[in-house]
Amino acid sequence: EVQLVESGGSSVQAGGSLRLSCLASGFSFGNSDIGWYRQVPGKECELVATISYDGSTDYEDPVKGRFTISQDNAKNTVYLQMNGLKPEDTAVYYCTADPPGPIWYVRPGNTCPARRGSWGRGTQVTVTV
């Protein structure tokens, strides 16, 4: 059974940093991509970053240059290092996988977690002014 557990969310002042963790089990990192999404109540689910099974990464424009996604295969963990946090980064952050292969991409206008793919329960990040 695929399981994903996020941790590391907290309340932080603008300009601060947080590192989120996603502990994965039940599948191999060697053939699966993992992604981070975020959800603000009343808004659509927003893709943040993805990391492919070969280690290549991709970021959405709002977080480029501030967030870094990485993985530790020995610990079955994916990290999201968030620097230069802004109030608009406030959201529940979810990690997701749909092994094997790429993640399930949430269609525009929808909320997350989606019904397809595997998702964690999320971790709250709050950025205050």
Side-chain angles (χ1 to χ4, degrees), residues 27-93:
F27 66 100
S28 170
F29 273 19
N31 61 0
S32 301
D33 300 349
I34 294 183
W36 284 95
Y37 275 90
R38 63 188 182 186
Q39 175 73 59
V40 176
K43 295 189 176 182
E44 64 181 11
C45 187
E46 180 182 26
L47 181 62
V48 176
T50 57
I51 185 164
S52 298
Y53 65 92
D54 62 359
S56 59
T57 59
D58 194 28
Y59 301 91
E60 296 303 300
D61 286 343
V63 307
K64 279 182 180 176
R66 300 188 298 124
F67 290 11
T68 303
I69 189 170
S70 63
Q71 65 185 32
D72 184 333
N73 290 349
K75 295 183 178 180
N76 286 347
T77 300
V78 171
Y79 302 100
L80 185 67
Q81 178 67 43
M82 307 186 295
N83 299 328
L85 283 162
K86 305 175 180 180
E88 52 263 44
D89 294 319
T90 296
V92 177
Y93 285 71

